[in-house]
Amino acid sequence: MRAHSGAAEVGVWGVSEGAWVAPLAATRTADISYVITVGGSGMGGARQTSWYWGNVLRHQGISGSLLTTLPVRGTRFAVGAGLFPEADYDPVPVLRRLKQPILALWGDLDINHVPVESSRIFAEALAQHPNHTIRFIAGGGPDLYATSDAGFDRLSRVVPGYPAAVADWLAARQGVHVETAAFAQRPSEALPPLV
């Protein structure tokens, strides 16, 4: 990439599940200068997906036993049947090995990636890392796209503030800057295996 572009530095930028892949790639080569993640889940895919489906059902006005049956038992069934690759992937060991500066971003309206919990997991995993930033972008839905329905739709543009946040970070990439979520979210739920 450097030879092709003439760039002095090359970084990786991972969105959603790519936020697991980008740090992993960076731990495998010193040729990657920095890492940016957007909407990274701090927990396995099954737990994150179950949380997402619970959000969708609540948004549709579903209540009662269906809130357990569909997102929780349905996800557990898919995992038990071997239909859910990387159901229990843990990004923490990779984040702990990361040496490059990292910017981890979430939208405050992200209904997919459990941003409050995920940001805490990222912060704990990166606690000894000297150059990491964790931020929330106001009005950002999943993957930091703009939304007109609190994260349940995706407009064709990114949310304002996202490009500037990346540009500002790229200009510095020094020190530790960890934002705490100024909003609350329903916690995710552990998914025990089917018995």
Side-chain angles (χ1 to χ4, degrees), residues 8-34:
E9 295 183 311
V10 173
V12 289
W13 195 320
V15 179
S16 192
E17 289 177 354
W20 289 345
V21 176
L24 181 60
T27 63
R28 295 185 176 187
T29 178
D31 292 333
I32 294 173
S33 302
Y34 59 87

Side-chain angles (χ1 to χ4, degrees), residues 30 36 43 48 58 66 76 85 90-91 108 115 129-130 132 167 175 177 183 187:
I36 298 171
M43 60 204 61
Q48 176 255 316
R58 284 174 176 81
L66 281 179
R76 289 173 63 206
D90 183 2
D108 63 348
H129 191 295
H132 70 278
H177 309 280
F183 55 95

Side-chain angles (χ1 to χ4, degrees), residues 96-118:
R96 286 186 178 149
R97 290 195 315 266
L98 188 67
K99 303 288 185 231
Q100 296 88 338
I102 179 171
L103 169 64
L105 298 169
W106 290 268
D108 63 348
L109 300 176
D110 185 340
I111 54 119
N112 288 7
H113 305 108
V114 202
V116 172
E117 285 179 69
S118 292

Side-chain angles (χ1 to χ4, degrees), residues 6-87:
E9 295 183 311
V10 173
V12 289
W13 195 320
V15 179
S16 192
E17 289 177 354
W20 289 345
V21 176
L24 181 60
T27 63
R28 295 185 176 187
T29 178
D31 292 333
I32 294 173
S33 302
Y34 59 87
V35 176
I36 298 171
T37 66
V38 176
S41 179
M43 60 204 61
R47 185 170 180 163
Q48 176 255 316
T49 298
S50 176
W51 184 82
Y52 162 73
W53 281 112
N55 289 338
V56 170
L57 293 172
R58 284 174 176 81
H59 184 69
Q60 296 297 322
I62 305 297
S63 61
S65 64
L66 281 179
L67 287 177
T68 300
T69 302
L70 293 174
V72 176
R73 291 193 184 104
T75 302
R76 289 173 63 206
F77 176 79
V79 171
L83 302 173
F84 204 124
E86 302 302 334

